[in-house]
Amino acid sequence: MMTIPFAKRYKLVSILFVSALTGCASVNIDEALQKTNLDSSKFTNGQVVLAKSSDERDVLQGRAQELLAKNLNQSDAVQLALINSPAVQALIAQNWSEAASAAQAGRMSNPYFAFERMVTSPEIEFNRWFVFGLLDLITLPQRKGIADKRIEQAQLRLTTEIIDQVTLVRQAWVRAVAAEQSLKYADQVFRGAEASAELARRMEAVGNLNKITRARQQAFYADSATQFANAKQTSVSRREELVRALGLSEAQAKELKLPNRLPDLPKQPPNTEFIAQQAGVERLDIRLATVTLEAAAKAQGLNNITSFTDIELGFNRGTKFDSASGESTPKQGYEISIRLPIFDWGNMSRDAMNAQTLAAFNRLEGVTRNASSNLRETYSAYRTAYDISQHYRKEVIPVRKAIAEESQLRYNGMIIGVFELIADSRDQVSAVIAAINAQQQFWLTDAALQSSLIGRPTILQVPSVTGAGMLANPAGH
């Protein structure tokens, strides 16, 4: 065994470990959250935080109560979810864990110390070993590069998952408000039908209304009651969906107050030129796929080395005592251990890494090719929903309102019967419900478009908007 002076060994070991320590990857969750807030500022408004202590949780709860003290608009709902939802906090904490694990993989394994005592009468021998993975040290820069890429992956994944949560909250808020708006209208229709049915019953009793006309009034009332009950259940379901998205406790859910109606449509939607410009902006899905490919390529390069063998370097300092003479003889040296690739040449491990790199390459290619298509489809759904909602607001509702008013005048003048009046009322009710549905669909597609623009495609089909389900048209009208 070759020996080297102790001072030189000490200097060598010191240099190796200082190099190892200074080259280690690390994670700072606060910096990661700042980066997420910067990348998704239009979604989060800088509100992504992680409460790491009870005091910090109390501060967030105080801010949540401030938001719950007023009617919750869509922007406030997003802020409330970010600071109040346990699911969002768990998502951030889980991402922190994944990033820390990625950083840990970029660090050196701990060395180990061994002590040996051998007795060969009349001699006693002591050996002390300090051993570490030489290959670990040699490949530290490559492993640090892989760890940095995986930390970057975790950072981008956190941002995309936060955007998913925000989109979920936005759409849940839209559904909840639209359901309450529909419920209020269904309540108005029900109360009007109830009063009309009661009047018809009294008129029939005094002989001023025939039986079939009274029955039609009663059928209209019965349909209205059914739709009112359905609207109440839908409102409860949508509200609870929003409560879950916001992560509200039972006490907080009781304080939740929503606006009476959805916001008005924007006066001018973004045009295709604006969308085309946004398509050129760096997207999160492409960035994530690119970083994934880079990490896979780096890991493949490292695996080409480590799959063949492993090398350990150990330093020894021992002492041999002679019991007969009372003399002691120091000794020192080093040892190199190499794992021989006899049974496993590591080809399967290299094949696995090659396949992962190839998969990452094709995934990046697929994301890049699909990005523009997804954005065009989402924008088409957005623009269609906008045009339909505007059509209801400017054309359908005014026409139905005018028909209903004219029918009422003609009924009062005994030009038409109650059957025609009820039929027109049904059509107006259906038109109003369809208009609310169209407005709801627009805001759902708006949330999907905002998510797609930043690189989280959310395909939302535009259903056929109709209010025919609200009240069946009698006699096929």
Side-chain angles (χ1 to χ4, degrees), residues 35-84:
K35 186 73 167 52
T36 295
N37 280 318
L38 184 63
D39 288 343
S40 59
S41 57
K42 292 182 180 178
F43 288 79
T44 65
N45 198 25
Q47 294 292 327
V48 179
V49 293
L50 175 63
K52 299 186 283 290
S53 65
S54 58
D55 291 341
E56 291 176 345
R57 278 191 287 274
D58 290 342
V59 171
L60 295 184
Q61 287 301 305
R63 290 166 56 188
Q65 289 306 121
E66 292 176 5
L67 291 171
L68 286 169
K70 56 185 180 181
N71 284 347
L72 201 68
N73 61 33
Q74 192 180 57
S75 176
D76 289 341
V78 171
Q79 304 308 314
L80 181 57
L82 293 177
I83 63 176
N84 183 77

Side-chain angles (χ1 to χ4, degrees), residues 145-207:
I146 296 170
D148 289 341
K149 287 298 176 185
R150 288 179 176 165
I151 293 170
E152 189 176 352
Q153 274 183 276
Q155 166 70 60
L156 288 170
R157 199 176 298 116
L158 172 62
T159 303
T160 57
E161 288 172 351
I162 288 292
I163 289 172
D164 287 345
Q165 289 291 323
V166 170
T167 302
L168 177 69
V169 170
R170 283 178 170 178
Q171 295 187 335
W173 181 89
V174 169
R175 292 190 181 96
V177 174
E180 287 213 358
Q181 192 174 350
S182 295
L183 174 61
K184 289 184 176 66
Y185 185 69
D187 185 28
Q188 293 176 12
V189 172
F190 169 70
R191 294 183 186 284
E194 186 179 37
S196 178
E198 176 62 20
L199 178 60
R201 188 187 65 79
R202 293 181 181 179
M203 291 176 67
E204 182 192 19
V206 297

Side-chain angles (χ1 to χ4, degrees), residues 304-324:
N304 287 336
I305 301 173
T306 58
S307 61
F308 279 107
T309 186
D310 192 12
I311 305 173
E312 288 187 341
L313 177 63
F315 292 96
N316 171 258
R317 183 176 179 80
T319 306
K320 179 183 292 185
F321 293 95
D322 189 329
S323 301

Side-chain angles (χ1 to χ4, degrees), residues 265-267 269 382-401 431-432 434-439 442 464-466:
L265 272 58
K267 293 181 179 178
Y382 167 88
R383 189 55 200 254
T384 301
Y386 179 85
D387 291 341
I388 291 175
S389 186
Q390 283 285 57
H391 176 69
Y392 270 95
R393 190 176 70 86
K394 292 183 176 179
E395 299 291 339
V396 178
I397 296 300
V399 168
R400 288 296 179 191
K401 183 179 179 183
V432 172
I436 295 174
N437 290 340
Q439 194 176 11
F442 167 76
S464 177
V465 178
T466 175

Side-chain angles (χ1 to χ4, degrees), residues 21 37 78 92 106 130 143 169 201 211 234 236 245 270 278 300 323 383 406 427 463:
L21 291 174
N37 280 318
V78 171
I92 297 172
F130 182 78
R143 289 189 292 110
V169 170
R201 188 187 65 79
K211 189 173 183 178
T234 301
V236 170
Q278 294 300 309
Q300 182 181 1
S323 301
R383 189 55 200 254
E406 184 64 24
D427 290 342

